Amino acid sequence: MPRSLISEYVDRPDSESPDEAVARPHAPSPKPWRIRTTLALLVAACVLPGALISITFTVSDYRRQREQAMLDAVSTARVLASALDRDLASTEAGLHVLATSQTLLADDLPGFYRRSQTALPYQNVSNYVLLDASGRQVLNTLKPWVLMPTEN
C-alpha cells in the first residue's frame, strides 16, 4: 500500500494490517484561534512570570522585615532591661551606703535627714522614706525635717 494511503487510516487496531483496515475520513481540523484569544494568551504569558516573581519577592521581603522587627524588639527589650538593672543596682548601692551611715546607726535622725538630702542629687530617685519596724514613716526627704512625735 502506498505511503500516502497509510496516512489516511486513523486509529486502526493492532490486529489489522493496512490492507484490512477501513479507510476513514480525516477528522475536521480544529478552528484556528481567534486573534483576541491569541493576544490574551500572549499577554498572560508575558505578565504571569513577572507577577509571580513580584509576589515572591514581596512575600520574602515581608518575612524578612517581620523577622528584623522581632530582632529589633528583642534588642530593645534587652537594652531597656539592662538600663533598668543598672538603675536599680545604683539605687540599691546608694541605699546600702545610707543604711550604713553613722548618723542612722547613732539614731541621729536630723543628721541622717541632711545626709539623705545631700545623696539625692546623685541617685536616680526623687526621695527617701525611712520606716520604723512597725511600718510607720519616720523620715521623708520630700517633706522638710520635722521631728516626728513618738507614740508610747
Side-chain angles (χ1 to χ4, degrees):
M1 185 179 276
R3 190 88 168 133
S4 62
L5 288 179
I6 293 176
S7 64
E8 292 180 9
Y9 295 105
V10 179
D11 296 331
R12 68 181 161 87
D14 291 337
S15 63
E16 287 184 10
S17 67
D19 294 333
E20 298 170 344
V22 178
R24 295 186 190 139
H26 281 292
S29 61
K31 289 184 181 177
W33 287 353
R34 295 185 335 186
I35 191 144
R36 180 183 295 169
T37 306
T38 305
L39 286 175
L41 289 174
L42 180 62
V43 167
C46 291
V47 170
L48 193 60
L52 290 176
I53 289 172
S54 177
I55 289 170
T56 302
F57 284 151
T58 301
V59 169
S60 173
D61 187 51
Y62 168 76
R63 287 180 179 163
R64 187 185 54 76
Q65 284 183 359
R66 185 179 63 186
E67 183 177 324
Q68 187 62 42
M70 291 296 289
L71 291 175
D72 290 346
V74 168
S75 176
T76 301
R78 286 183 179 152
V79 167
L80 289 174
S82 175
L84 181 63
D85 285 345
R86 198 172 36 255
D87 285 348
L88 289 175
S90 170
T91 301
E92 186 178 3
L95 290 172
H96 281 293
V97 168
L98 285 174
T100 59
S101 170
Q102 291 300 321
T103 55
L104 182 62
L105 295 174
D107 220 13
D108 177 15
L109 292 181
F112 182 71
Y113 178 83
R114 287 189 301 277
R115 177 130 170 112
S116 300
Q117 286 286 4
T118 40
L120 272 176
Y122 304 105
Q123 291 291 305
N124 193 18
V125 294
S126 57
N127 69 311
Y128 292 112
V129 176
L130 180 64
L131 305 175
D132 65 9
S134 66
R136 191 178 50 145
Q137 182 174 313
V138 177
L139 176 133
N140 187 342
T141 56
L142 278 180
K143 300 177 181 176
W145 172 250
V146 178
L147 195 56
M148 301 287 225
T150 57
E151 294 178 13
N152 291 336

